[in-house]
Amino acid sequence: MALLYVVVSGVVVTAVVLLTVFILRLFGILRHGSEYKPGQKGSVSVLVVAGSGGHTTEIVRLMGSLSQSYNPRHYVIADTDKMSEDKIRTFEAEREKSGLPSQFTIHRIPRSREVRQSWSSSVLSSLSALMSSVPLVFRLQPDMVLCNGPGTCVPLCAAGLLLGILGLKRVLIVYVESICRVETLSLSGKILYYFSDYFFVQWAPLKDKYPKAIYVGRLV
């Protein structure tokens, strides 16, 4: 009995220590996030999260406004998304025709939550998305994750943060809230508001509600 108590106590103490280290590492990353400037050393490898429909249209427009330094571009879409890949390939083909470098890849992961999916089942689907996101992000090791609201972005951003927590690579998290969000944030926005390095909104009322947000007008 005494041996069992010692073992259990050791496990609990180890878990508490690991959790404390994890939280301290996360706090350090979030506190000094704005000091990280990946573009100072050349091109920026960016992981772009594309959602269905309007999200993809907005993120493609946003990519079109960025310089050619954001290269290569790794697009990630949900495995049930039927339209985003065509939009991305069309955008990249137009870039190539204009003489700009077009180095990109497209990857698919399970969708975190389908439209009208119950919250109980979305927990399991989100875990599935996270399990696919971690090895993908660890393999690509992007300098930056750029997203604008689809649920798929949350596990991908979590995987990017995990890279930094483990000391493997600092990944910048940049979130641009959808132009459709005028007075309230999306669910993804409400979560990533606390974990992103740069959080952009496109309407002034959101800046008033969320002081950390950056408002520079319409971006897409």
Side-chain angles (χ1 to χ4, degrees):
M1 196 69 177
L3 178 60
L4 178 61
Y5 175 78
V6 171
V7 171
V8 172
S9 299
V11 170
V12 171
V13 170
T14 301
V16 170
V17 170
L18 290 176
L19 181 60
T20 302
V21 172
F22 183 92
I23 293 174
L24 290 175
R25 285 285 299 169
L26 178 60
F27 177 76
I29 288 172
L30 297 177
R31 184 179 181 183
H32 301 289
S34 59
E35 300 173 4
Y36 177 57
K37 309 292 183 182
Q40 293 178 343
K41 297 182 180 180
S43 63
V44 178
S45 171
V46 55
L47 188 152
V48 186
V49 187
S52 302
H55 285 298
T56 296
T57 299
E58 289 186 21
I59 204 72
V60 166
R61 288 177 181 170
L62 187 59
M63 291 303 298
S65 67
L66 299 181
S67 74
Q68 59 185 5
S69 297
Y70 291 87
N71 193 57
R73 294 172 296 282
H74 304 290
Y75 297 93
V76 182
I77 59 180
D79 54 5
T80 57
D81 190 338
K82 306 299 183 182
M83 299 179 295
S84 293
E85 182 170 353
D86 290 338
K87 293 182 180 180
I88 292 167
R89 292 193 181 278
T90 299
F91 165 72
E92 289 292 341
E94 291 175 352
R95 281 181 60 92
E96 191 170 14
K97 288 179 181 179
S98 63
L100 296 174
S102 183
Q103 185 180 354
F104 74 99
T105 59
I106 298 177
H107 309 270
R108 290 181 178 270
I109 65 170
R111 189 184 294 273
S112 295
R113 184 172 182 268
E114 297 284 358
V115 178
R116 298 186 182 87
Q117 181 180 351
S118 67
W119 290 105
S120 57
S121 62
S122 66
V123 173
L124 294 177
S125 58
S126 296
L127 287 175
S128 175
L130 180 62
M131 294 298 290
S132 297
S133 298
V134 170
L136 176 63
V137 173
F138 275 47
R139 175 166 58 86
L140 296 176
Q141 295 211 359
D143 297 310
M144 181 178 85
V145 175
L146 176 63
C147 52
N148 69 336
T152 308
C153 70
V154 175
L156 288 164
C157 288
L161 286 171
L162 185 58
L163 265 180
I165 291 172
L166 296 178
L168 299 176
K169 184 175 183 178
R170 180 69 175 90
V171 179
L172 202 67
I173 307 297
V174 179
Y175 185 93
V176 181
E177 185 59 281
S178 171
I179 189 69
C180 299
R181 291 290 174 169
V182 180
E183 296 183 348
T184 60
L185 296 178
S186 62
L187 178 59
S188 299
K190 290 176 181 178
I191 296 172
L192 294 177
Y193 175 76
Y194 300 99
F195 299 101
S196 59
D197 297 296
Y198 296 95
F199 190 95
F200 292 90
V201 295
Q202 302 187 64
W203 294 93
L206 287 176
K207 170 62 179 175
D208 297 335
K209 290 183 179 179
Y210 300 92
K212 174 188 170 182
I214 302 169
Y215 172 67
V216 292
R218 182 169 178 170
L219 298 175
V220 297

